[in-house]
Amino acid sequence: VQLQASGGGLVQSGGSLRLACTASESIFSINDMAWYRQAPGKQRELVALISSITGSSGGSTSYADSVKGRFAISGDNAKSATYLQMNNLKSEDTAVYYCYLNGRRTSWSNWKDYWGQGTLVTVSS
């Protein structure tokens, strides 16, 4: 299974971007999906997580304090996809964003962590 992240780019401070992450094949069961980011010279950090995804609009979410009220994560079980809507972007949001999924490919598979390749978000002040 490969995760493909997209939607990154260059945006001015205060602008918005929507990141998308889709799996190369359907996942039988998803535990949770998340977005992490890594800024130059810094460690990778958790930005947003969604678990107990129901359909295409439900789930339990949590966010890093730095993005609360500005970012929104959503997931779609049927598409094995997750999205990150980022509003009111700030220069400190500049980073490579990685998507993550914990799930099982089939009912007899082990739970496994999957990572996307990363998409660069650059916010200019």
Side-chain angles (χ1 to χ4, degrees):
V1 177
Q2 294 183 346
L3 300 184
Q4 179 68 43
S6 62
L10 174 64
V11 63
Q12 288 188 333
S13 179
S16 298
L17 282 175
R18 184 173 187 259
L19 305 183
C21 176
T22 55
S24 58
E25 57 186 270
S26 179
I27 305 297
F28 172 76
S29 181
I30 297 174
N31 185 26
D32 50 49
M33 302 187 77
W35 288 92
Y36 286 75
R37 68 185 180 186
Q38 187 167 18
K42 295 187 177 181
Q43 290 187 334
R44 188 174 297 189
E45 64 173 350
L46 176 64
V47 175
L49 180 144
I50 184 167
S51 57
S52 302
I53 302 169
T54 54
S56 60
S57 61
S60 176
T61 60
S62 60
Y63 298 91
D65 288 343
S66 59
V67 306
K68 281 181 181 177
R70 300 188 298 122
F71 291 11
I73 188 172
S74 60
D76 189 325
N77 261 335
K79 297 180 180 180
S80 298
T82 183
Y83 309 94
L84 186 68
Q85 177 66 42
M86 305 185 294
N87 298 325
N88 190 21
L89 283 160
K90 305 176 181 180
S91 57
E92 51 262 43
D93 295 319
T94 295
V96 176
Y97 285 71
Y98 299 90
C99 57
Y100 161 88
L101 181 154
N102 177 265
R104 324 185 260 171
R105 287 183 57 248
T106 65
S107 60
W108 58 89
S109 302
N110 292 326
W111 293 97
K112 187 176 179 180
D113 295 334
Y114 299 94
W115 289 92
Q117 86 287 2
T119 183
L120 177 62
V121 172
T122 304
V123 184
S124 63
S125 57

